[in-house]
Amino acid sequence: MAEKKTVAVIFGGRSVEHDVSILTGLQFLEALDPTLYDGLPLYVDALGQWWTGDALKNRKNYPVSRSDGDLTQVFLDLAAPATGRPRLATTQKGFFGEKTAYIPFDLMVPAIHGSNGEDGTLQGLLEFAGIPFAGCRPLGAAATMNKEFAKAVARQHGLSILPELTVSKPAKGTFLDPDMLKQSLEGMLGENPFPVIAKPSNLGSSVGVSRANDMDALIAALMAIFRLDRSAIVEPFVPNLVEYNIAVRRNADLLIETSAIERPLSKTDVLDFKNKYLAGGTPGGPKLDTGPSEGMASLNRVLSPEELSDAQETQIRDTASTIFDALDLAGSVRIDFLCNGETGELWFNEANTIPGSFAYFLWEAALTPVSFLKLASDMIDEGFRLSSERLGATDAASGEATIFTKG
């Protein structure tokens, strides 16, 4: 019997989506096949400090405190993979002073939503250090986090997307010019552009999304976004708005496959963060003392909505597969669509490379169901494969690029 692998699941992070990331990380740990893997929780607090310990596996312990028992502050040993297994390092006090102890693992699963986790920065660090990891590589993660870039790729592939205006954060000490903004908006969206939707260019999960019915409201929305991001995109508001989501992955045969389609339910005309994650919950957020169905899976939704025509379903599945392939994505990715419920028009909205709960509930409802346990195992296997395929020879001699030699 093969020796069990240790899988480090990293969650939390310096992101506005910190709390939702905790749910996703803990749910992935719960989904690990105990006969194949030992799960290692790796929590990144709001200051960017890394912690591990069994207490992190219990949802009732959140929010955690530095003073909580059974928590160990750790650091990533960037040099370890060159000579052996990846490992975390920690400092321990003993009779003869401090010494360094190590916690080895085999692969890391990024479960940090949004900034500093889903945007390619963490993935780039892991690739630089040669640490195997699951999910998208740095390019795909960065490309999908930038909504403007992802839409440009979709446009190049002839996919249906809404027009957008990108607005950059004003330099320090300057302000948005309403007249210039109005001119740019009318040039992109027409003479009567309102109402519009404003959203951050580089955040996920509908954070910072708002509707603006006039220029004053738009400027207020943009200023709020600029507290979170360096740029914003403005799109026309879709009347009779309906959103559809679908998950995509590459199966064990390396073929792209799609999940069930969902229609999230919202009481408003904008599916913002609260509607997406806290629907039907308490003001404090999702309950943390329930089973694996919490988090994104607790969102009020309709699975396999009957109102979709065969043509619409085909468009959703084909578009999602095209985006997944064009951006070289991996893991379980959720692709989101906007729809005018009256006309039936559909537009690609965005791709989420680390969706809430890794969208396992969409796979469980697929035509060929995939359990969360199998989804997690497949993501781990894919992570090992992609990490091993990344590099060829890296020494200077192999590239005929040697400059320095000793006599």
Side-chain angles (χ1 to χ4, degrees):
M1 183 175 179
E3 184 177 352
K4 289 202 293 185
K5 301 288 187 181
T6 298
V7 175
V9 181
I10 185 168
F11 54 90
R14 293 180 294 116
S15 166
V16 295
E17 299 174 69
H18 176 275
D19 287 7
V20 176
S21 170
I22 293 171
L23 290 176
T24 295
L26 296 187
Q27 287 163 357
F28 194 91
L29 284 165
E30 294 170 2
L32 290 174
D33 185 338
T35 67
L36 300 176
Y37 310 110
D38 288 322
L40 177 66
L42 186 53
Y43 171 64
V44 182
D45 66 23
L47 298 177
Q49 301 173 110
W50 294 27
W51 304 86
T52 192
D54 286 340
L56 294 172
K57 295 181 180 180
N58 190 334
R59 305 180 191 191
K60 295 182 180 180
N61 290 334
Y62 292 87
V64 297
S65 170
R66 299 177 57 172
S67 60
D68 288 348
D70 200 27
L71 290 187
T72 302
Q73 187 170 8
V74 293
F75 309 88
L76 186 62
D77 186 348
L78 296 180
T83 56
R85 294 170 70 192
R87 62 188 185 183
L88 303 170
T90 185
T91 301
Q92 295 181 341
K93 294 182 179 180
F95 291 110
F96 302 102
E98 294 184 343
K99 66 176 182 177
T100 301
Y102 297 100
I103 304 172
F105 64 95
D106 297 288
L107 176 137
M108 188 175 292
V109 177
I112 296 178
H113 298 299
S115 306
N116 306 303
E118 194 175 359
D119 56 5
T121 52
L122 175 59
Q123 291 81 358
L125 171 66
L126 297 175
E127 279 212 341
F128 175 80
I131 296 172
F133 64 96
C136 287
R137 305 299 98 175
L139 175 61
T144 52
M145 180 59 66
N146 187 303
K147 294 181 177 67
E148 182 184 8
F149 184 87
K151 290 182 68 172
V153 173
R155 187 178 288 116
Q156 289 177 344
H157 284 76
L159 303 178
S160 178
I161 58 171
L162 292 171
E164 80 280 352
L165 173 67
T166 301
V167 184
S168 298
K169 182 178 182 179
K172 188 174 182 179
T174 64
F175 301 92
L176 287 173
D177 184 328
D179 293 332
M180 290 187 63
L181 180 58
K182 182 175 183 292
Q183 183 179 354
S184 298
L185 197 61
E186 291 179 347
M188 178 63 67
L189 305 182
E191 186 176 347
N192 299 302
F194 292 101
V196 296
I197 294 293
K199 62 179 89 171
S201 295
N202 299 283
L203 293 179
S205 299
S206 301
V207 172
V209 176
S210 61
R211 171 176 170 168
N213 294 324
D214 53 41
M215 185 57 65
D216 289 341
L218 176 58
I219 291 179
L222 291 173
M223 297 312 295
I225 289 172
F226 293 149
R227 295 177 56 195
L228 304 171
D229 197 4
R230 64 183 182 274
S231 68
I233 61 174
V234 182
E235 299 173 334
F237 173 75
V238 176
N240 312 302
L241 177 63
V242 182
E243 181 172 340
Y244 296 104
N245 304 327
I246 190 170
V248 192
R249 71 173 194 146
R250 201 176 291 275
N251 62 25
D253 296 322
L254 305 186
L255 300 175
I256 292 176
E257 64 180 17
T258 55
S259 72
I261 298 172
E262 68 167 348
R263 170 166 53 83
L265 300 177
S266 172
K267 296 180 181 179
T268 68
D269 55 11
V270 177
L271 192 65
D272 59 12
F273 181 86
K274 289 183 179 180
N275 282 308
K276 183 169 284 188
Y277 286 102
L278 307 183
T282 62
K287 296 179 180 179
L288 302 181
D289 57 353
T290 56
S293 63
E294 278 299 340
M296 275 297 293
S298 69
L299 171 64
N300 294 329
R301 62 169 51 79
V302 174
L303 289 169
S304 303
E306 295 181 355
E307 74 272 9
L308 283 174
S309 67
D310 290 344
Q312 287 176 311
E313 180 172 345
T314 297
Q315 181 182 348
I316 289 174
R317 294 188 185 280
D318 289 350
T319 298
S321 299
T322 298
I323 289 292
F324 190 91
D325 189 51
L327 294 176
D328 195 24
L329 305 183
S332 176
V333 176
R334 196 186 74 233
I335 311 293
D336 299 349
F337 294 82
L338 305 175
C339 177
N340 183 323
E342 289 291 329
T343 67
E345 293 175 277
L346 281 163
W347 299 271
F348 162 69
N349 184 33
E350 63 181 8
N352 298 273
T353 56
I354 304 179
S357 306
F358 291 103
Y360 78 86
F361 43 90
L362 294 179
W363 291 111
E364 289 183 341
L367 187 61
T368 302
V370 179
S371 69
F372 198 0
L373 182 143
K374 177 168 175 51
L375 177 66
S377 295
D378 286 352
M379 288 176 60
I380 291 168
D381 290 343
E382 180 187 56
F384 278 120
R385 177 179 62 80
L386 292 176
S387 297
S388 67
E389 291 176 354
R390 177 180 175 251
L391 291 177
T394 58
D395 60 290
S398 296
E400 299 181 358
T402 302
I403 296 177
F404 302 104
T405 60
K406 288 188 176 181

